[in-house]
Amino acid sequence: MPEPLLEVSDLRIRFGGFTAVDGLSFSVRPGEVLGVVGESGSGKSVSMLGVLGLIRTPGAKISGKVVFRGRDLLALKNAEMRAIRGREIAMIFQDPMTALTPVYTIGWQIAEQVRAHEKVSKRAARDRAIKLLDEVGIPAPEQRVDAYPHEFSGGMRQRAVIAMALSCNPALLIADEPTTALDVTTQAQILDLLRRLRADHGSAVVMITHDMGVVSEIADEVLVMYGGRAVERGSRTEVFHSPRHPYTWGLLDSVPRVSGPRVRRLPTIPGTPGAAGQGCPFADRCTHRLAACAEAPPLSGTAGHLDACWLPEEEKTR
Ligand SMILES: Nc1ncnc2c1ncn2[C@@H]1O[C@H](COP(=O)(O)OP(=O)(O)OP(=O)(O)O)[C@@H](O)[C@H]1O
Ligand SMILES: [Mg+2]
């Protein structure tokens, strides 16, 4: 087993009295695709922004350890972190407009991204931008390279952002819902691109998504989040075929069967996610609740398949 590329331990992120991420630990090995799933508000985006040092909210409190290639990212200076972001780690944000500047052309922005990290001529950077736009499926990229973000459709903007993220062949790509806004054909193209990034450059990918179909297609490992915590973690096969946490059961039950239509957003399980507090964050919505659930269960298990649930082992099957 290769050493982890990224190892996050006991990450905690608080905004005032609200705990958005509550002791999250996970690791990603080189070339691995980790699928992060969990409903809206479970802390998926915030935890990854925390990993990258991108939480700017005044008064936000972040603690824990984020070790990437042997360095603790939470301890780095801003300038050191900037050098890592975009070159060794790239992020595709949930909202593509946060990554694009309205006043510059798409091609200029991709070319600048290339030139920020590599000594290449403007001409060569522009050619790279055209090639990248072509790779992410933008038609007529030689013309489209000179378009402004508002001239692109939402799906095209998302693809342009993906092109920017791929421009420096990062060792780790964190992709937050990169395919949600896209039609099925484009989505398949993007998943192919991510697979190629891994095959050609050994890149690891953290893929945040609501779409269990996407996870089942691309992830090696799956992290299920609920209420700012990891409730289950295991290989794709383990999590899909022998899920252990009642929340994961609910997630998988809400995935339509083969004949049904494909859902983009996970239907919700009754109730609303509780703010992380003392007990198990899922207890209020759990039909298997025990007295023990008043205290938060630790994430534990064997051979890489972990869950945070007090149910007796023999009852952790659907
Ligand atoms: N800057 C912030 N200040 C205060 N609260 C925040 C901030 N950012 C996120 N939160 C809160 O943290 C929780 C987790 O948010 P997050 O964006 O990580 O959810 P998510 O799992 O990515 O959801 P979605 O699937 O809808 O994108 C939410 O309750 C959100 O309101
Ligand atoms: Mg999010």
Side-chain angles (χ1 to χ4, degrees), residues 93-170:
F93 293 93
Q94 191 163 7
D95 172 8
M97 279 318 270
T98 52
L100 294 168
T101 312
V103 295
Y104 294 108
T105 64
I106 297 275
W108 187 90
Q109 296 184 55
I110 299 175
E112 275 305 290
Q113 177 80 18
V114 171
R115 280 163 57 82
H117 298 291
E118 262 178 71
K119 281 204 170 71
V120 291
S121 69
K122 285 200 168 144
R123 179 81 236 172
R126 183 186 153 87
D127 288 346
R128 268 277 280 294
I130 294 172
K131 187 160 172 277
L132 283 159
L133 287 174
D134 187 37
E135 283 184 356
V136 294
I138 300 288
E142 305 80 5
Q143 282 111 57
R144 291 306 200 138
V145 71
D146 295 319
Y148 288 88
H150 73 266
E151 298 173 292
F152 269 29
S153 71
M156 285 164 77
R157 284 198 283 262
Q158 184 63 287
R159 281 181 270 172
V161 167
I162 293 170
M164 276 170 89
L166 298 182
S167 65
C168 21
N169 301 319

Side-chain angles (χ1 to χ4, degrees), residues 15 18 20 38-47 55 57 94 176-177 208 210 265:
F15 301 104
F18 176 72
E39 65 193 55
S40 197
S42 55
K44 304 180 300 295
S45 297
V46 160
S47 51
I55 291 178
T57 311
Q94 191 163 7
D176 196 349
E177 303 277 1
I208 300 174
H210 279 82
R265 311 294 292 183

Side-chain angles (χ1 to χ4, degrees), residues 28-240:
V28 187
R29 285 189 292 267
E32 180 176 277
V33 178
L34 172 68
V36 180
V37 295
E39 65 193 55
S40 197
S42 55
K44 304 180 300 295
S45 297
V46 160
S47 51
M48 298 309 153
L49 292 173
V51 162
L52 287 179
L54 287 172
I55 291 178
R56 310 256 189 255
T57 311
K61 290 216 166 52
I62 304 168
S63 66
K65 231 171 160 186
V66 176
V67 178
F68 175 74
R69 290 181 158 167
R71 295 207 276 171
D72 186 357
L73 300 187
L74 295 185
L76 293 186
K77 297 204 176 67
N78 280 340
E80 296 171 312
M81 196 58 224
R82 265 199 305 277
I84 290 181
R85 272 198 312 264
R87 174 187 248 165
E88 292 175 78
I89 308 180
M91 172 133 188
I92 298 170
F93 293 93
Q94 191 163 7
D95 172 8
M97 279 318 270
T98 52
L100 294 168
T101 312
V103 295
Y104 294 108
T105 64
I106 297 275
W108 187 90
Q109 296 184 55
I110 299 175
E112 275 305 290
Q113 177 80 18
V114 171
R115 280 163 57 82
H117 298 291
E118 262 178 71
K119 281 204 170 71
V120 291
S121 69
K122 285 200 168 144
R123 179 81 236 172
R126 183 186 153 87
D127 288 346
R128 268 277 280 294
I130 294 172
K131 187 160 172 277
L132 283 159
L133 287 174
D134 187 37
E135 283 184 356
V136 294
I138 300 288
E142 305 80 5
Q143 282 111 57
R144 291 306 200 138
V145 71
D146 295 319
Y148 288 88
H150 73 266
E151 298 173 292
F152 269 29
S153 71
M156 285 164 77
R157 284 198 283 262
Q158 184 63 287
R159 281 181 270 172
V161 167
I162 293 170
M164 276 170 89
L166 298 182
S167 65
C168 21
N169 301 319
L172 175 64
L173 174 67
I174 300 179
D176 196 349
E177 303 277 1
T179 61
T180 308
L182 307 176
D183 59 74
V184 179
T185 316
T186 316
Q187 177 175 312
Q189 274 175 21
I190 299 297
L191 294 183
D192 270 345
L193 265 177
L194 296 181
R195 285 191 196 100
R196 225 165 64 214
L197 184 71
R198 161 162 69 174
D200 296 351
H201 304 281
S203 305
V205 180
V206 173
M207 169 78 131
I208 300 174
T209 179
H210 279 82
D211 191 332
M212 292 301 263
V214 166
V215 179
S216 73
E217 271 178 57
I218 197 167
D220 304 306
E221 294 281 318
V222 181
L223 175 70
V224 182
M225 287 189 66
Y226 188 87
R229 298 188 193 175
V231 295
E232 184 156 357
R233 160 82 207 241
S235 69
R236 170 182 56 187
T237 322
E238 285 163 340
V239 173
F240 276 84

Side-chain angles (χ1 to χ4, degrees), residues 19-20 22 39 41-42 224-232 245 247 270-286 289 292-298 308-310:
T19 305
D22 192 12
E39 65 193 55
S42 55
V224 182
M225 287 189 66
Y226 188 87
R229 298 188 193 175
V231 295
E232 184 156 357
H245 196 284
Y247 176 63
T272 38
Q278 292 282 298
C280 170
F282 189 56
D284 285 350
R285 293 163 79 186
C286 186
R289 188 181 178 149
C293 306
E295 201 178 307
C309 180
W310 290 121

